[in-house]
Structures are given as structure tokens and as C-alpha cells.
């Protein structure tokens, strides 16, 4: 299909796990992404949930570790998993891009960088919204429109899912997150990323902070589902700050947050795999009136 090169295909639960590569005009590099098409896609276009991964991950992590395909096949939901950053070739690497796990490669933070040298390639916000989403809708049996599309993610990707969902309610109907970075303006991961990608002006940071976006949100009603493990070391290190998102949403006329504090679970895909079914059913609730 135009613009997409298929890398692999494997049958699963009557559907198909696929991987694609395409040349991105937005980030300026080839990009890869994963797709699960449920068996219903053989007969026509289907609704979809987009999953944004966390630090160090690629599209492969979710598709191979989360165990989402069984329920997605039952519900008739496509799953779309983008990469987490541009992947620059060796001869075009940005100095420092691969030095740490929490910035640069695998850590695009789902924003559009404004600071050199990152602003040329690190535009994952626009990549997902303006390039990959239209490409998927045009080239795969996936329905277009908010009433057909949800977004979810983990950790950095949970931050991405909530911010992109709140900023684009005409694109995404449903939102959920696992162990999201809820208040990046006030945690070490976020201040490092925002300072380097966006500069020192914290007004620009607010455009990519879930708590700030929640406070100013005036779109259609949204119910956000979030699961957080109590044994998550990043919770105790104050990287995630779910309490800040709770405070930002409390009493909001348009937003509600259902936050489950899951006793004994950590930050890994063991947690995600345990609760992925409830998240997919959450999306189905809002993508279909009363359920599929």
C-alpha cells in the first residue's frame, strides 16, 4: 500500500499482527510501527485504540508483552503502536542522543521540540497526529474520527496519551493510561526533557503537562482511566505524581479520573498485562454506545 512497507505478519486470535516501515516527512527519518488488526477487519474498517509506549521502548514492546490481542479481537478493535522517538542513522546522530535512557533516543516525550538541535527531528506530537494517523486511516482498514478512536499509553506514553487526548478531543474519544507521568513539569524526567526540548520558558511546558491541560480543559466530557502500581519504584521517586492529576481533575465539570492504585504491582508489563482487558473495555464503552 502507498507509503507503507510491510515488515512482518503473524496470525493471532484470528487477526493479524503486522509491522510497517515508512519514510516520515515530519521527523525526517524512516519510522516503524506495529498494528494488530482484529478478525473483523477482514470484512471492513474497524475502530482503533492507539498505544504510546514508555521510555526506552519501541512499538514491539506492547505488541509482544501486553497480551492485548485476545480482547481486542473479541471487541473488534485495531491496536496501533508507534515508536517512541525518531531513529536517526549513525551518520546523522545528534550528540548526546544515546547517552541516557530518559532523553533522546527512545524518549521523545510526544512533544514537538523547539530547541536546537532537537527541533529538526524530535516532533513526535505532530508525527502521530499529522502524519501517522492519516497514513494509517488511508492505508489500513481503520475508521477515521473521534467516535472511532481511543488513545492509551504507559509511563511516558501515558503522559502522551493524556496530553494528546486532552488537546485533541475531536480526534480521540477515549483516554486511558498505565503508570503515567502525570505532572512532568514537576518531576526529574519531565524537567530534563522539557528543558532540553522546549527551552526554559515554562509557559511552553504547560502545553505538554497533563495537569495543566486538565485545569484549562473545556472540551467534551472525558472519563480518564488510570492504573498505578503501589510497588512502582518510580512512584516513590516522585516521577509519576498521580496525586497531582487527581487534584487537577477534582471538581472539574468536564473531566473525571478513575485512578486504581494496584497493590504490589510495579512499573513493568506484568502490571499492564494484568489490567489491559479493563482498559480495552473502557475504550469500547466510549467508542460504542453501551458497548460493542
Amino acid at each position: 500500500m502507498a507509503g507503507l512497507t510491510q515488515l512482518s505478519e503473524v496470525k493471532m486470535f484470528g487477526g493479524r499482527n503486522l509491522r510497517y516501515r515508512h519514510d516520515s516527512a515530519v521527523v525526517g527519518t524512516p519510522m516503524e510501527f506495529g498494528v494488530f488488526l482484529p478478525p473483523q477487519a477482514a470484512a471492513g474498517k474497524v475502530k482503533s485504540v492507539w498505544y504510546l509506549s514508555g521510555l526506552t521502548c519501541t512499538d514491539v514492546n506492547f505488541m509482544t508483552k501486553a497480551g492485548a490481542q485476545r480482547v481486542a479481537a473479541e471487541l473488534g478493535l485495531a491496536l496501533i503502536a508507534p515508536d517512541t522517538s525518531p531513529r536517526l542513522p549513525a551518520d546523522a546522530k545528534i550528540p548526546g542522543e544515546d547517552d541516557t535512557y530518559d532523553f533522546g533516543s527512545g524518549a521523545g516525550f510526544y512533544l514537538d521540540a523547539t530547541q536546537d538541535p532537537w527541533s529538526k527531528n524530535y516532533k513526535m506530537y505532530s508525527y502521530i497526529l499529522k502524519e501517522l494517523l492519516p497514513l494509517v486511516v488511508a492505508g489500513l482498514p481503520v475508521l477515521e474520527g473521534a467516535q472511532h478512536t481511543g488513545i492509551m499509553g504507559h509511563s511516558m506514553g501515558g503522559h502522551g496519551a493524556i496530553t494528546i487526548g486532552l488537546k485533541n478531543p475531536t480526534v480521540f474519544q477515549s483516554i486511558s493510561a498505565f503508570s503515567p507521568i502525570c505532572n512532568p513539569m514537576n518531576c526529574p524526567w519531565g524537567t530534563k526533557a522539557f528543558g532540553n526540548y522546549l527551552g526554559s520558558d515554562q509557559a511552553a511546558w504547560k502545553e505538554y503537562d497533563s495537569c495543566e491541560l486538565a485545569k484549562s480543559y473545556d472540551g467534551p466530557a472525558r472519563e480518564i482511566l488510570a492504573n498505578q502500581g503501589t510497588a512502582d519504584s518510580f512512584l516513590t521517586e516522585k516521577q509519576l505524581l498521580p496525586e497531582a492529576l487527581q487534584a487537577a481533575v477534582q471538581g472539574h465539570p468536564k473531566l473525571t479520573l478513575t485512578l486504581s492504585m494496584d497493590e504490589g504491582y510495579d512499573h513493568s508489563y506484568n502490571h499492564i498485562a494484568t489490567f489491559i482487558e479493563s482498559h480495552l473495555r473502557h475504550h469500547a464503552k466510549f467508542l460504542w454506545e453501551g458497548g460493542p
Side-chain angles (χ1 to χ4, degrees), residues 225-237:
L225 172 65
N227 280 69
Q228 173 63 61
T230 62
D232 186 332
S233 62
F234 299 121
L235 178 68
T236 57
E237 292 171 13

Side-chain angles (χ1 to χ4, degrees), residues 26-50:
V26 172
V27 303
T29 69
M31 295 291 283
E32 296 177 359
F33 66 98
V35 177
F36 173 72
L37 292 177
Q40 295 87 336
K45 292 193 173 187
V46 296
K47 298 175 184 284
S48 65
V49 175
W50 289 63

Side-chain angles (χ1 to χ4, degrees), residues 19-156:
R19 292 194 75 231
Y20 291 98
R21 177 186 294 125
H22 72 105
D23 291 326
S24 170
V26 172
V27 303
T29 69
M31 295 291 283
E32 296 177 359
F33 66 98
V35 177
F36 173 72
L37 292 177
Q40 295 87 336
K45 292 193 173 187
V46 296
K47 298 175 184 284
S48 65
V49 175
W50 289 63
Y51 179 92
L52 307 184
S53 290
L55 294 166
T56 75
C57 292
T58 70
D59 62 284
V60 174
N61 296 75
F62 174 71
M63 290 298 187
T64 58
K65 294 181 178 181
Q69 290 91 338
R70 179 184 62 81
V71 178
E74 175 196 328
L75 297 172
L77 284 171
L79 303 172
I80 318 294
D83 204 348
T84 54
S85 77
R87 302 291 175 174
L88 296 172
D91 60 354
K93 285 285 185 183
I94 299 171
E97 185 179 27
D98 298 333
D99 289 357
T100 59
Y101 80 95
D102 57 355
F103 181 76
S105 295
F109 269 83
Y110 304 103
L111 51 74
D112 285 351
T114 59
Q115 304 299 300
D116 290 334
W118 312 101
S119 58
K120 179 180 178 181
N121 305 105
Y122 277 73
K123 295 181 284 189
M124 292 300 292
Y125 177 83
S126 287
Y127 166 70
I128 290 168
L129 280 169
K130 298 178 181 179
E131 186 170 35
L132 187 57
L133 195 152
L135 187 65
V136 166
V137 168
L140 296 171
V142 172
L143 290 163
E144 182 178 14
Q147 70 272 31
H148 304 303
T149 314
I151 190 166
M152 64 189 298
H154 171 234
S155 192
M156 177 185 72

